[in-house]
Amino acid sequence: MDSHEHLQECGRNELINNSVIDPWYELDSGDLESLYTVFDDKHHENTSDKQFQLLEDQKQHISDNWTQSDDSSNMVVPLQPNQIQATPEACNVVQPQLPRLGDFHDEKTNSISLASLELLNNCGRLFKKSSEENLSNVLSNEARVGNIPKLSTEEILRIAGERYIQYSTHRVDGLSMFIHPYASSLTGLSIEQTKDMELVHLLLAAAEEADQQQFHLASQSIARCLWKASATGNPIQRLCFYFGGALQERINQEIGWSPSFERKLRFLSTLALDTTPEALTCHTEIPFSQVMQFAGIQVFENIKGATKIHLVDFNIRSGIQCTGLMQALAEQRDCPIELLKIAAIGHQEKEKIEETGKRLQSFANSLNLPFSFAMVFMSDMKDLRAESVNVKEDEIVAVYCSTILRTMICRQDYLDNTMRVIRGLRPAVVVVCEIEANHNSPSFLNRFVEALFFYSVLFDCFEDCMDRDNLVRKRIEVFHIGEGIRNMVTAEGAERFTRNVKLHVWRAYFARFGMVEMEVSESSRYQAKLILEQFSHGSSCIVQNDGKAHLVGWNTH
């Protein structure tokens, strides 16, 4: 068992043995219905104060061997198939002259192969402002009043990245930070902030050394980094802990020390149905989780007046995202709904899809809403056809795709087939929710830096909204975020299926299938505003438009 497996197993055993939480806990109908009512009081789950011991064996192993813009965004893109002169044949045609989605990397080729210059190129592209100048002004102003400014994780990464590049030519065995301390403009930093920048410095050095196949030096940098990092510390310490572990696993694979287990299956389980306490906590504690679920209102805006509606959901999970639509339809008085059908498309966790259907049926009964639920289960998604969904002629179809299309980017034939199926259903509206980031670069360093900045904002969000000793938060970070980082950093080829791309890439891809982008409704924006007002950190959740798309992000103040 490698150190990462032991780390996860240690955390899992403690959670079970202390009877703090059942790892396979499922919500009953009453629990879920309390969440389905959008403006109910927030649920607060009690957690134990017992320590969550994750690092003892990891640190022993080390001692023996001696993140883009200012916010992280999700996007909601309502689309409408262009029905003008649409034919069944046209639905199956993929224009060969247009590039495939997997070919989009959103970057320019850098002819300079030096890893340090590539890191500089990434940092320069991600840092929109001159962080050194801005930070110098902030520090000098704060120093006059004797205060230390609070820096976000993204700001610390930005400054540390620039300083790393500045002193990389003087590095001796990865320790340039200690030989060449930060300039006088950084003297206003706290001791913790300085240590955080040292952590980032070690992590960047390890990434550069790994990219240059200097695996011995990289492992030394990682060991020093992990000795200072912590899965239970501040956001920078947590960020470096998971990225450092993923980077070491990548090195182990390169030198043939990779463990003989299937990482992909483990990570896919984290994408499965979220009826666990992790999903419950995210829904009640993280603002953008609820804001994104109001994409269901967008569906309603485009099917007003329909009496028979067929919603096809490609990633049903707990089904909470369907409840906004269900409530809106139940309250519709001028044109009473005759039937709402939900078809859940899936290829794993069949029993859990069925349980979600039962909960949604119970919720529909409480609303007196005519409802039916069907599961379209495929052993292989490439076998999915439009005929697999039993759509009646008098039904209006809507399609909902939440964070599912990105998992198919590495399998272009699967993604193309899914889009042909959606086109063949002739829906009135297609709502797509995806992560707006560039994690599809063929360059390891590009991908590493982009991911580092993206996850820095995510860890800041968790820091703002949840206590550090919250056991559910730790489960989310270990089993969900940590596995996502590992797949992005460690895997290559078809095994690397976490490949988020930018909004303009999706726009170009959807255009191939005749999809026309639609404006997000004012109702959706208004509902998002109401939701944010319920959260103490709601002001940090940024909601803005990019053309006709809806972007939801986080910006720590």
Side-chain angles (χ1 to χ4, degrees):
M1 179 179 296
D2 70 352
S3 60
H4 176 68
E5 282 187 298
H6 183 80
L7 171 68
Q8 288 196 334
E9 190 64 29
C10 179
R12 181 183 296 109
N13 290 340
E14 178 164 348
L15 289 169
I16 296 174
N17 294 337
N18 289 340
S19 299
V20 175
I21 198 168
D22 180 354
W24 302 112
Y25 168 81
E26 300 292 342
L27 304 177
D28 57 27
S29 298
D31 293 327
L32 207 55
E33 285 176 18
S34 66
L35 290 179
Y36 284 167
T37 303
V38 176
F39 297 109
D40 277 356
D41 291 336
K42 294 169 67 180
H43 171 79
H44 297 278
E45 181 173 335
N46 294 325
T47 58
S48 171
D49 292 331
K50 297 180 179 180
Q51 286 290 340
F52 187 75
Q53 302 293 335
L54 287 173
L55 304 177
E56 295 301 321
D57 292 327
Q58 180 77 355
K59 287 192 173 181
Q60 183 62 44
H61 172 76
I62 295 170
S63 63
D64 290 341
N65 293 278
W66 229 107
T67 197
Q68 174 154 310
S69 64
D70 291 334
D71 59 74
S72 172
S73 298
N74 291 337
M75 65 181 188
V76 179
V77 186
L79 304 167
Q80 187 175 37
N82 189 347
Q83 300 292 354
I84 300 176
Q85 297 180 345
T87 64
E89 292 77 11
C91 296
N92 292 314
V93 174
V94 178
Q95 301 177 18
Q97 70 274 20
L98 292 177
R100 293 155 59 91
L101 185 63
D103 297 333
F104 285 92
H105 310 306
D106 194 28
E107 62 184 41
K108 296 180 181 179
T109 303
N110 191 344
S111 59
I112 302 176
S113 60
L114 290 178
S116 60
L117 294 184
E118 189 172 3
L119 272 173
L120 176 59
N121 177 62
N122 280 287
C123 293
R125 179 164 49 83
L126 287 170
F127 309 152
K128 290 185 174 180
K129 305 174 183 178
S130 174
S131 57
E132 183 172 340
E133 177 182 353
N134 292 337
L135 185 62
S136 178
N137 293 335
V138 171
L139 291 176
S140 61
N141 292 335
E142 293 287 350
R144 283 195 289 268
V145 296
N147 293 328
I148 295 177
K150 177 182 179 181
L151 299 179
S152 69
T153 302
E154 186 271 339
E155 288 171 325
I156 291 176
L157 282 178
R158 176 153 41 89
I159 303 303
E162 289 186 349
R163 291 292 164 171
Y164 171 76
I165 296 299
Q166 180 177 351
Y167 294 114
S168 61
T169 56
H170 303 287
R171 186 171 70 252
V172 178
D173 195 23
L175 295 177
S176 64
M177 178 168 297
F178 306 103
I179 300 172
H180 301 276
Y182 286 123
S184 58
S185 63
L186 299 183
T187 56
L189 291 177
S190 68
I191 294 177
E192 181 181 19
Q193 289 169 340
T194 302
K195 289 182 178 180
D196 286 345
M197 291 193 182
E198 292 174 0
L199 265 179
V200 176
H201 182 104
L202 289 169
L203 186 63
L204 291 177
E208 180 182 349
E209 290 157 353
D211 189 67
Q212 294 176 330
Q213 296 188 337
Q214 298 173 343
F215 298 132
H216 177 67
L217 288 178
S219 293
Q220 286 185 339
S221 297
I222 293 171
R224 298 182 186 119
C225 178
L226 290 181
W227 184 256
K228 298 173 181 290
S230 170
T232 58
N234 65 33
I236 281 287
Q237 292 170 344
R238 294 177 186 231
L239 182 75
C240 291
F241 177 84
Y242 289 108
F243 270 87
L247 190 56
Q248 185 60 60
E249 184 173 313
R250 179 184 179 89
I251 293 173
N252 291 345
Q253 290 181 356
E254 291 282 351
I255 62 179
W257 291 357
S258 179
S260 59
F261 59 83
E262 182 55 71
R263 173 73 65 184
K264 180 175 180 179
L265 293 178
R266 181 183 304 179
F267 178 69
L268 281 175
S269 67
T270 70
L271 300 178
L273 298 178
D274 293 332
T275 54
T276 60
E278 292 95 306
L280 179 62
T281 300
C282 281
H283 182 81
T284 57
E285 302 293 336
I286 307 298
F288 60 73
S289 178
Q290 290 191 27
V291 171
M292 292 297 292
Q293 288 164 4
F294 270 99
I297 300 297
Q298 182 64 41
V299 175
F300 175 72
E301 293 291 328
N302 288 274
I303 55 177
K304 280 184 176 179
T307 59
K308 294 183 178 181
I309 300 167
H310 200 147
L311 176 64
V312 182
D313 195 320
F314 277 79
N315 192 17
I316 191 71
R317 293 174 297 184
S318 66
I320 294 178
Q321 70 277 7
C322 302
T323 59
L325 172 64
M326 296 172 72
Q327 286 179 307
L329 292 175
E331 296 169 0
Q332 183 174 272
R333 303 303 179 197
D334 53 342
C335 186
I337 186 74
E338 295 181 19
L339 178 64
L340 170 64
K341 293 171 62 176
I342 293 181
I345 311 295
H347 63 96
Q348 60 178 349
E349 304 287 346
K350 183 176 181 179
E351 295 78 10
K352 295 192 176 186
I353 296 178
E354 293 173 343
E355 292 168 5
T356 294
K358 294 176 182 177
R359 284 189 293 271
L360 290 175
Q361 181 66 66
S362 176
F363 182 62
N365 293 341
S366 69
L367 298 174
N368 294 319
L369 179 69
F371 177 82
S372 70
F373 182 89
M375 175 175 56
V376 181
F377 191 83
M378 313 296 298
S379 58
D380 195 324
M381 285 294 289
K382 70 179 181 181
D383 296 329
L384 181 66
R385 299 291 182 269
E387 297 76 20
S388 304
V389 184
N390 186 20
V391 178
K392 305 296 183 182
E393 292 185 1
D394 57 347
E395 295 174 348
I396 300 297
V397 177
V399 174
Y400 188 81
C401 298
S402 177
T403 60
I404 187 66
L405 299 181
R406 68 188 181 117
T407 65
M408 304 180 190
I409 292 177
C410 62
R411 299 173 296 173
Q412 189 73 36
D413 53 339
Y414 282 69
L415 183 59
D416 289 345
N417 179 67
T418 299
M419 291 305 302
R420 286 192 292 267
V421 169
I422 292 174
R423 192 70 175 83
L425 292 172
R426 303 179 66 86
V429 61
V430 180
V431 176
V432 178
C433 300
E434 286 292 348
I435 294 175
E436 213 272 336
N438 178 29
H439 298 150
N440 193 35
S441 172
S443 164
F444 165 68
L445 275 179
N446 285 5
R447 191 167 69 248
F448 186 88
V449 173
E450 294 273 2
L452 195 63
F453 275 81
F454 173 80
Y455 280 101
S456 74
V457 182
L458 191 58
F459 276 102
D460 260 350
C461 175
F462 276 64
E463 180 76 2
D464 291 341
C465 298
M466 302 167 67
D467 294 334
R468 289 186 183 180
D469 60 354
N470 186 312
L471 290 180
V472 179
R473 171 185 174 180
K474 292 166 185 173
R475 283 184 57 85
I476 294 172
E477 292 178 353
V478 170
F479 297 105
H480 297 259
I481 297 177
E483 288 300 315
I485 291 172
R486 283 181 174 274
N487 183 257
M488 201 174 297
V489 173
T490 302
E492 292 292 351
E495 295 303 308
R496 180 168 58 83
F497 45 86
T498 303
R499 297 174 179 244
N500 303 308
V501 295
K502 301 290 282 186
L503 177 57
H504 72 272
V505 178
W506 285 117
R507 282 175 170 148
Y509 181 72
F510 293 144
R512 294 171 52 186
F513 296 89
M515 299 293 181
V516 179
E517 194 171 356
M518 302 168 63
E519 191 80 34
V520 174
S521 69
E522 288 297 328
S523 176
S524 293
R525 295 191 184 98
Y526 177 71
Q527 295 286 3
K529 179 181 178 181
L530 291 180
I531 283 294
L532 292 181
E533 291 175 352
Q534 298 182 56
F535 290 88
S536 59
H537 293 280
S539 61
S540 294
C541 189
I542 308 302
V543 180
Q544 59 188 26
N545 293 333
D546 184 320
K548 296 181 179 180
H550 208 45
L551 297 182
V552 182
W554 191 263
N555 184 17
T556 298
H557 297 293

